[in-house]
Short mmCIF file of all heavy atoms in Angstrom, two decimals:
data_model
loop_
_atom_site.label_atom_id
_atom_site.label_comp_id
_atom_site.label_asym_id
_atom_site.label_seq_id
_atom_site.Cartn_x
_atom_site.Cartn_y
_atom_site.Cartn_z
N ALA A 46 -8.51 8.04 3.45
CA ALA A 46 -8.64 6.74 2.79
C ALA A 46 -9.70 6.76 1.70
O ALA A 46 -9.51 6.17 0.63
CB ALA A 46 -8.94 5.66 3.81
N ARG A 47 -10.82 7.43 1.92
CA ARG A 47 -11.88 7.45 0.92
C ARG A 47 -11.46 8.21 -0.33
O ARG A 47 -11.89 7.89 -1.43
CB ARG A 47 -13.18 8.00 1.49
CG ARG A 47 -13.18 9.44 1.86
CD ARG A 47 -14.49 9.86 2.51
NE ARG A 47 -14.77 11.21 2.75
CZ ARG A 47 -13.98 12.24 2.95
NH1 ARG A 47 -12.71 12.10 2.90
NH2 ARG A 47 -14.42 13.44 3.19
N ILE A 48 -10.58 9.21 -0.18
CA ILE A 48 -10.06 9.95 -1.33
C ILE A 48 -9.05 9.09 -2.09
O ILE A 48 -9.03 9.08 -3.32
CB ILE A 48 -9.43 11.28 -0.88
CG1 ILE A 48 -10.53 12.19 -0.32
CG2 ILE A 48 -8.70 11.96 -2.03
CD1 ILE A 48 -10.04 13.46 0.32
N VAL A 49 -8.24 8.32 -1.35
CA VAL A 49 -7.25 7.44 -1.97
C VAL A 49 -7.93 6.42 -2.87
O VAL A 49 -7.48 6.13 -3.97
CB VAL A 49 -6.39 6.74 -0.89
CG1 VAL A 49 -5.55 5.63 -1.48
CG2 VAL A 49 -5.52 7.76 -0.17
N GLU A 50 -9.05 5.87 -2.40
CA GLU A 50 -9.78 4.86 -3.17
C GLU A 50 -10.28 5.40 -4.51
O GLU A 50 -10.34 4.66 -5.49
CB GLU A 50 -10.97 4.35 -2.37
CG GLU A 50 -10.57 3.52 -1.17
CD GLU A 50 -11.77 3.15 -0.30
OE1 GLU A 50 -12.92 3.45 -0.69
OE2 GLU A 50 -11.55 2.57 0.76
N LYS A 51 -10.64 6.69 -4.56
CA LYS A 51 -11.22 7.27 -5.76
C LYS A 51 -10.21 8.05 -6.61
O LYS A 51 -10.57 8.57 -7.66
CB LYS A 51 -12.36 8.22 -5.37
CG LYS A 51 -13.50 7.51 -4.68
CD LYS A 51 -14.57 8.49 -4.25
CE LYS A 51 -15.69 7.77 -3.53
NZ LYS A 51 -16.72 8.69 -3.06
N ALA A 52 -8.95 8.14 -6.17
CA ALA A 52 -7.96 8.97 -6.85
C ALA A 52 -7.56 8.41 -8.21
O ALA A 52 -7.54 7.20 -8.42
CB ALA A 52 -6.72 9.11 -5.97
N ALA A 53 -7.23 9.31 -9.11
CA ALA A 53 -6.72 8.91 -10.42
C ALA A 53 -5.28 8.43 -10.31
O ALA A 53 -4.88 7.50 -11.01
CB ALA A 53 -6.80 10.09 -11.38
N SER A 54 -4.51 9.07 -9.42
CA SER A 54 -3.13 8.64 -9.20
C SER A 54 -2.69 8.97 -7.78
O SER A 54 -3.25 9.87 -7.14
CB SER A 54 -2.18 9.27 -10.21
OG SER A 54 -2.14 10.67 -10.08
N LEU A 55 -1.71 8.23 -7.30
CA LEU A 55 -1.14 8.40 -5.97
C LEU A 55 0.37 8.54 -6.10
O LEU A 55 0.99 7.87 -6.94
CB LEU A 55 -1.47 7.20 -5.08
CG LEU A 55 -2.94 6.85 -4.95
CD1 LEU A 55 -3.11 5.51 -4.25
CD2 LEU A 55 -3.68 7.95 -4.19
N HIS A 56 0.96 9.40 -5.25
CA HIS A 56 2.38 9.69 -5.37
C HIS A 56 3.02 9.80 -3.99
O HIS A 56 2.47 10.45 -3.10
CB HIS A 56 2.60 11.00 -6.12
CG HIS A 56 1.89 11.05 -7.43
ND1 HIS A 56 2.47 10.64 -8.61
CD2 HIS A 56 0.63 11.44 -7.75
CE1 HIS A 56 1.62 10.79 -9.59
NE2 HIS A 56 0.48 11.26 -9.10
N VAL A 57 4.18 9.18 -3.82
CA VAL A 57 5.01 9.33 -2.63
C VAL A 57 6.35 9.88 -3.08
O VAL A 57 6.98 9.32 -3.97
CB VAL A 57 5.22 7.98 -1.90
CG1 VAL A 57 6.23 8.13 -0.78
CG2 VAL A 57 3.90 7.45 -1.37
N LEU A 58 6.75 11.00 -2.48
CA LEU A 58 8.05 11.58 -2.77
C LEU A 58 8.78 11.82 -1.46
O LEU A 58 8.16 12.19 -0.46
CB LEU A 58 7.92 12.90 -3.53
CG LEU A 58 7.53 12.75 -5.00
CD1 LEU A 58 6.03 12.68 -5.15
CD2 LEU A 58 8.09 13.87 -5.81
N ALA A 59 10.08 11.59 -1.47
CA ALA A 59 10.92 11.84 -0.30
C ALA A 59 12.14 12.63 -0.75
O ALA A 59 12.72 12.35 -1.80
CB ALA A 59 11.33 10.53 0.36
N PHE A 60 12.52 13.61 0.07
CA PHE A 60 13.67 14.47 -0.22
C PHE A 60 14.67 14.38 0.91
O PHE A 60 14.29 14.32 2.08
CB PHE A 60 13.22 15.93 -0.36
CG PHE A 60 12.31 16.19 -1.51
CD1 PHE A 60 10.93 16.06 -1.37
CD2 PHE A 60 12.81 16.56 -2.74
CE1 PHE A 60 10.08 16.30 -2.43
CE2 PHE A 60 11.96 16.80 -3.81
CZ PHE A 60 10.59 16.67 -3.66
N SER A 61 15.95 14.41 0.56
CA SER A 61 16.98 14.46 1.59
C SER A 61 17.05 15.88 2.14
O SER A 61 16.54 16.82 1.52
CB SER A 61 18.34 14.05 1.02
OG SER A 61 18.89 15.10 0.25
N SER A 62 17.70 16.03 3.28
CA SER A 62 17.87 17.37 3.85
C SER A 62 18.81 18.22 3.00
O SER A 62 18.91 19.42 3.20
CB SER A 62 18.39 17.27 5.28
OG SER A 62 19.58 16.48 5.32
N LEU A 63 19.48 17.59 2.03
CA LEU A 63 20.33 18.33 1.09
C LEU A 63 19.57 18.75 -0.15
O LEU A 63 20.11 19.41 -1.03
CB LEU A 63 21.54 17.47 0.70
CG LEU A 63 22.42 17.01 1.86
CD1 LEU A 63 23.52 16.09 1.37
CD2 LEU A 63 23.00 18.21 2.60
N GLY A 64 18.30 18.33 -0.26
CA GLY A 64 17.46 18.74 -1.37
C GLY A 64 17.34 17.73 -2.49
O GLY A 64 16.67 18.00 -3.49
N ASP A 65 17.98 16.59 -2.36
CA ASP A 65 17.91 15.58 -3.41
C ASP A 65 16.62 14.77 -3.31
O ASP A 65 16.17 14.45 -2.22
CB ASP A 65 19.10 14.61 -3.29
CG ASP A 65 20.44 15.31 -3.43
OD1 ASP A 65 20.54 16.20 -4.30
OD2 ASP A 65 21.37 14.98 -2.69
N LEU A 66 16.06 14.44 -4.46
CA LEU A 66 14.89 13.56 -4.51
C LEU A 66 15.38 12.13 -4.29
O LEU A 66 16.20 11.63 -5.05
CB LEU A 66 14.18 13.70 -5.85
CG LEU A 66 12.95 12.81 -6.04
CD1 LEU A 66 11.85 13.19 -5.05
CD2 LEU A 66 12.45 12.94 -7.47
N LEU A 67 14.91 11.49 -3.23
CA LEU A 67 15.36 10.13 -2.89
C LEU A 67 14.37 9.06 -3.32
O LEU A 67 14.77 7.97 -3.71
CB LEU A 67 15.60 10.01 -1.38
CG LEU A 67 16.65 10.92 -0.78
CD1 LEU A 67 16.69 10.75 0.73
CD2 LEU A 67 18.01 10.65 -1.39
N VAL A 68 13.08 9.36 -3.19
CA VAL A 68 12.04 8.40 -3.52
C VAL A 68 10.99 9.10 -4.36
O VAL A 68 10.56 10.20 -4.03
CB VAL A 68 11.38 7.82 -2.24
CG1 VAL A 68 10.23 6.90 -2.59
CG2 VAL A 68 12.40 7.11 -1.37
N ALA A 69 10.59 8.44 -5.43
CA ALA A 69 9.48 8.92 -6.26
C ALA A 69 8.72 7.69 -6.72
O ALA A 69 9.09 7.04 -7.69
CB ALA A 69 9.98 9.73 -7.44
N GLU A 70 7.68 7.35 -5.98
CA GLU A 70 6.84 6.19 -6.31
C GLU A 70 5.46 6.69 -6.66
O GLU A 70 4.88 7.49 -5.93
CB GLU A 70 6.75 5.23 -5.11
CG GLU A 70 8.04 4.50 -4.80
CD GLU A 70 8.41 3.49 -5.86
OE1 GLU A 70 7.51 2.91 -6.49
OE2 GLU A 70 9.62 3.30 -6.08
N SER A 71 4.95 6.23 -7.78
CA SER A 71 3.62 6.65 -8.24
C SER A 71 2.85 5.46 -8.75
O SER A 71 3.44 4.48 -9.21
CB SER A 71 3.75 7.68 -9.36
OG SER A 71 4.44 8.82 -8.94
N GLU A 72 1.53 5.55 -8.67
CA GLU A 72 0.66 4.55 -9.29
C GLU A 72 -0.59 5.26 -9.79
O GLU A 72 -0.99 6.28 -9.27
CB GLU A 72 0.32 3.42 -8.33
CG GLU A 72 -0.48 3.81 -7.11
CD GLU A 72 -0.75 2.64 -6.18
OE1 GLU A 72 0.15 1.83 -5.95
OE2 GLU A 72 -1.88 2.58 -5.67
N GLY A 73 -1.16 4.72 -10.83
CA GLY A 73 -2.35 5.32 -11.43
C GLY A 73 -2.01 5.98 -12.75
O GLY A 73 -0.91 5.82 -13.29
N THR A 74 -2.96 6.76 -13.25
CA THR A 74 -2.82 7.41 -14.55
C THR A 74 -2.56 8.89 -14.35
O THR A 74 -3.32 9.57 -13.66
CB THR A 74 -4.11 7.22 -15.38
OG1 THR A 74 -4.39 5.83 -15.46
CG2 THR A 74 -3.97 7.80 -16.75
N PHE A 75 -1.48 9.38 -14.96
CA PHE A 75 -1.13 10.80 -14.88
C PHE A 75 -0.17 11.12 -16.02
O PHE A 75 0.43 10.23 -16.61
CB PHE A 75 -0.50 11.15 -13.53
CG PHE A 75 0.73 10.36 -13.21
CD1 PHE A 75 1.99 10.86 -13.50
CD2 PHE A 75 0.65 9.10 -12.62
CE1 PHE A 75 3.14 10.14 -13.22
CE2 PHE A 75 1.78 8.37 -12.34
CZ PHE A 75 3.03 8.89 -12.63
N ASP A 76 -0.05 12.42 -16.33
CA ASP A 76 0.91 12.84 -17.36
C ASP A 76 2.04 13.63 -16.69
O ASP A 76 2.03 13.84 -15.47
CB ASP A 76 0.22 13.65 -18.46
CG ASP A 76 -0.49 14.89 -17.95
OD1 ASP A 76 -0.16 15.37 -16.84
OD2 ASP A 76 -1.37 15.41 -18.66
N MET A 77 2.98 14.08 -17.46
CA MET A 77 4.14 14.78 -16.90
C MET A 77 3.77 16.13 -16.30
O MET A 77 4.41 16.57 -15.34
CB MET A 77 5.24 14.95 -17.97
CG MET A 77 6.00 13.68 -18.25
SD MET A 77 6.70 12.86 -16.77
CE MET A 77 7.88 14.07 -16.23
N ASP A 78 2.75 16.78 -16.82
CA ASP A 78 2.32 18.05 -16.23
C ASP A 78 1.81 17.82 -14.81
O ASP A 78 2.13 18.60 -13.90
CB ASP A 78 1.22 18.70 -17.08
CG ASP A 78 1.75 19.24 -18.39
OD1 ASP A 78 2.96 19.54 -18.47
OD2 ASP A 78 0.95 19.36 -19.34
#
Side-chain angles (χ1 to χ4, degrees):
R47 68 184 189 334
I48 294 172
V49 168
E50 291 174 5
K51 297 177 182 178
S54 63
L55 305 170
H56 307 269
V57 172
L58 286 86
F60 295 89
S61 76
S62 54
L63 302 175
D65 299 320
L66 179 64
L67 299 175
V68 175
E70 291 291 328
S71 300
E72 64 182 41
T74 305
F75 58 95
D76 58 20
M77 284 307 295
D78 289 336

